[in-house]
Amino acid sequence: MMARGYPEERQQVRINAVVQARTGSTRLPGKVLRELGGRPVLDRVVDAARAAHGIDDVLVATSTAAGDDAVAEHAAALGVGVVRGSEDDVLSRFVQAADEHPCDAVVRLTADCPLLDPDLVGLVAATWRSAPEHDYVATTLVRTLPRGLDVELATVPALRALDAGATGYDRVHVTSGLYGDPGRFRCLGVVVAPAADDLRVTLDTPDDLHALQGLVEALDGRTGWRSVVSVLRSRPDLVERNAHVRQKSLAEG
């Protein structure tokens, strides 16, 4: 198992949220800066991370590509720290974020999840604080939430160990090398009931945007994953808007 050097007093442990964001999506370019319900998608994700209990700092990690200048500038205008690194090696971006903004663990969030629930972020953070012997805590080990409400936490020592030898898509997807090797890394899953993993509230295609626009309108200011699920269960017409969208495999990037 991983060697650890955590502070003895748990209240001193720092958890930073790192939002990975870029404009180079192939299916919906510039999606993270598109408006949804009158607000850019990135704003919604940053606000959710800021509102989560147990998060010490919120950072946006984007690339050094010229196309991501707009992401860096917008994040800075929001008042959050900005980390810029490799466009394709996202794992190295997260390690860089931990280097520049020291912490004990990182909550990985993606900027294409505009309905992220701060309570879920706080729950994952609190779960790790209560069981810090784990290297990875996530809502995705056994998926029971709608896709797009994902929250993952990885310890910095585990990310550094992974960074030393990861190759291929493990460098793109950041955490796949952790949950893909449970014999090396201790993993803990957070689940909810009843399951709602058949639903999709992530932003990857124009049809996803169409679905999210209708959902945000129907939510009428309500927030939280339970409200999201409740509305979608009562509105199959919204679910149908992006039910056909296929999630890319790890190998597809």
Side-chain angles (χ1 to χ4, degrees):
M1 293 299 174
M2 300 295 302
R4 296 173 179 78
Y6 303 131
E8 291 183 2
E9 296 186 19
R10 302 313 303 169
Q11 64 268 27
Q12 295 179 350
V13 170
R14 288 186 60 84
I15 301 176
N16 289 347
V18 178
V19 181
Q20 65 180 75
R22 66 185 183 95
T23 59
S25 168
T26 56
R27 296 199 281 184
L28 189 62
K31 62 183 179 180
V32 302
L33 295 179
R34 289 181 181 254
E35 286 207 358
L36 178 63
R39 301 169 58 205
V41 168
L42 181 59
D43 294 37
R44 290 175 171 270
V45 180
V46 167
D47 285 352
R50 279 174 158 165
H53 182 72
I55 297 299
D56 294 287
D57 200 4
V58 179
L59 314 168
V60 169
T62 191
S63 84
T64 55
D68 286 330
D69 289 349
V71 173
E73 291 167 4
H74 190 78
L78 292 175
V80 296
V82 178
V83 175
R84 302 192 69 173
S86 170
E87 183 174 19
D88 299 319
D89 187 352
V90 190
L91 173 59
S92 71
R93 243 190 275 166
F94 274 74
V95 173
Q96 180 182 341
D99 287 340
E100 296 180 11
H101 302 266
C103 57
D104 299 278
V106 166
V107 169
R108 178 196 178 213
L109 306 172
T110 58
D112 54 6
C113 296
L115 298 184
L116 187 69
D117 186 342
D119 287 346
L120 290 175
V121 178
L123 175 61
V124 169
T127 299
W128 177 71
R129 287 182 189 274
S130 68
E133 67 274 14
H134 292 89
D135 303 296
Y136 177 77
V137 180
T139 64
T140 51
L141 279 173
V142 177
R143 187 179 291 278
T144 56
L145 286 158
R147 186 175 292 276
L149 299 180
D150 305 350
V151 182
E152 301 174 279
L153 178 148
T155 68
V156 172
L159 286 176
R160 292 191 191 285
L162 186 62
D163 182 54
T167 59
Y169 62 68
D170 286 337
R171 304 211 66 87
V172 177
H173 294 283
V174 183
T175 57
S176 57
L178 299 178
Y179 60 77
D181 192 356
R184 181 184 181 196
F185 299 102
R186 280 190 168 185
C187 302
L188 181 64
V190 175
V191 300
V192 303
D197 54 303
D198 57 305
L199 303 174
R200 178 181 176 87
V201 293
T202 191
L203 177 60
D204 198 34
T205 72
D207 286 339
D208 287 331
L209 182 59
H210 184 44
L212 285 165
Q213 287 169 334
L215 176 55
V216 167
E217 182 179 351
L219 282 166
D220 193 25
R222 286 175 289 168
T223 60
W225 70 268
R226 292 178 179 84
S227 294
V228 168
V229 172
S230 177
V231 168
L232 290 177
R233 292 300 187 212
S234 67
R235 291 285 304 275
D237 59 304
L238 294 178
V239 176
E240 289 172 3
R241 291 185 182 185
N242 66 343
H244 61 281
V245 176
R246 183 181 65 85
Q247 189 70 21
K248 288 183 177 181
S249 68
L250 291 179
E252 290 176 296

